Amino acid sequence: MCTARQSGSTKRAMQSRLAVAPMMDWTDRHCRFFHRQLTRRALLYTEMVVADAVIHGARERLLGFDDAEHPIALQLGGSDPRKLAEAAAIGEAFGYDEINLNVGCPSDRVQSGTFGACLMKTPVLVADCVAAMKAAVKIPVTVKCRIGVDDQDPEPALDTLADGVFAAGADALWVHARKAWLEGLSPKENRDVPPLDYQRVYRLKARKPNQFIGINGGIQSLDEASEHLAHVDGAMLGRAAYHTPGILTGVEAAFYGEPRGAFDYAALMDQMAAYAARHIEKGGRLGHVTRHMVGLFHGLPGARRYRQILSTDANKPGAGPEVLKTAFAAIDFAAVEAEAA
């Protein structure tokens, strides 16, 4: 667990032009450690953690992370300003660089708790939550939302929410450029069916030139992310970063002006094998780590065999880090370097 506040990492978090989105069941601590080996500067987010769970639950299990994950943001779910403030303070004490409020998740479980995307209907309450969290912590407090829900008109809905959270002191607003339909669509369908409206987010940025506005939703590549940055301050990758994580190796060159050199996959293998060994020593299983690595070499020679090993052998009882090394040995790294050149 990280317990000391990382002021340098906090500064980097707010300078991050590229982020990896919070994704339930995906962006756990093992996923984030892996992603951090691919990019030093992208901002990483936890899965959403409910404020009540942070206050009353097993905090190390819910909030613990490796120091290597900085800069990292904790995403909270909730609608009670007092509880969110308490949970935010706990997150700050754990060493997180940013606290983010979820105003975008459309799942039934979240709706039953009256938070997530349904908070788009109560922008005054959202502003109250942000104000309470800001008063409780010294690190940045941000919000992630949709452009609207159900029959809301996205023009006034998004403007009203943005005006309220920034007036309350929010340091950034990340906008998933789709509506959420709280009835009639599953959470999975809510990620695909409502049409994307990037222009709506661009118009918000034009209204708020001095505020950090980031965009999320359907971004498939670093090139697409770069195109968005002509209009907004940050771009957030979701499923593209998870299913094809190799694209993260280009983040520093694409967004931070660093020269693009050959990525050291041997060092990556050693880092992940050592990390997996530590996890196994604590009672974990290799598959907890490797399930996030399956798409690393997507489309490259040897990738199919690599996936087979991680999907089968890594999940067998007693599997150890040597399985990961066997999987890497299946890859034609000369072809990987040629692809990156």
Side-chain angles (χ1 to χ4, degrees), residues 198 202 215 217-219 223-235:
Y198 296 135
Y202 298 168
I215 197 166
I219 303 173
D223 286 342
E224 287 184 26
S226 294
E227 292 172 4
H228 286 299
L229 291 178
H231 307 279
V232 294
D233 302 299

Side-chain angles (χ1 to χ4, degrees), residues 26-251:
W26 287 0
T27 53
D28 63 16
R29 62 191 303 170
H30 310 307
C31 176
R32 298 190 308 265
F33 183 89
F34 169 52
H35 284 174
R36 182 55 72 217
Q37 309 314 305
L38 305 177
T39 168
R40 291 179 292 103
R41 298 180 68 171
L43 177 59
L44 304 181
Y45 279 80
T46 69
E47 305 169 87
M48 182 188 69
V49 185
V50 177
D52 273 327
V54 172
I55 295 167
H56 303 294
R59 293 178 184 173
E60 173 57 28
R61 179 178 60 81
L62 292 168
L63 300 180
F65 65 94
D66 193 286
D67 282 347
E69 295 173 43
H70 289 291
I72 178 174
L74 168 64
Q75 187 182 67
L76 293 176
S79 58
D80 182 315
R82 180 186 59 80
K83 291 180 179 180
L84 283 166
E86 184 176 355
I90 293 169
E92 181 180 43
F94 260 73
Y96 283 94
D97 302 305
E98 172 188 316
I99 305 296
N100 178 266
L101 178 62
N102 184 318
V103 188
C105 181
S107 76
D108 292 340
R109 181 173 67 86
V110 167
Q111 289 183 56
S112 66
T114 321
F115 55 95
C118 61
L119 286 174
M120 292 292 300
K121 296 180 178 180
T122 56
V124 173
L125 176 57
V126 175
D128 289 344
C129 291
V130 170
M133 295 161 74
K134 285 291 293 183
V137 301
K138 294 181 173 64
I139 57 176
V141 173
T142 66
V143 174
K144 187 170 185 289
C145 69
R146 295 285 184 127
I147 60 173
V149 295
D150 297 337
D151 293 324
Q152 281 185 327
D153 181 343
E155 293 299 325
L158 184 57
D159 281 350
T160 299
L161 183 90
D163 290 346
V165 299
F166 283 125
D171 295 284
L173 179 64
W174 290 92
V175 185
H176 186 155
R178 286 187 174 96
K179 271 190 172 186
W181 288 92
L182 303 180
E183 295 184 11
L185 293 180
S186 69
K188 181 179 184 301
E189 289 170 329
N190 262 298
R191 293 192 294 268
D192 296 299
V193 174
L196 286 160
D197 189 354
Y198 296 135
Q199 296 296 324
R200 178 64 194 94
V201 187
Y202 298 168
R203 290 194 295 275
L204 176 64
K205 177 57 190 176
R207 280 190 68 244
K208 298 284 186 184
N210 299 319
Q211 305 287 359
F212 186 105
I213 304 292
I215 197 166
N216 171 231
I219 303 173
Q220 297 299 314
S221 68
L222 298 186
D223 286 342
E224 287 184 26
S226 294
E227 292 172 4
H228 286 299
L229 291 178
H231 307 279
V232 294
D233 302 299
M236 181 179 277
L237 296 176
R239 284 169 288 170
Y242 190 84
H243 291 306
T244 55
I247 66 175
L248 296 177
T249 63
V251 166

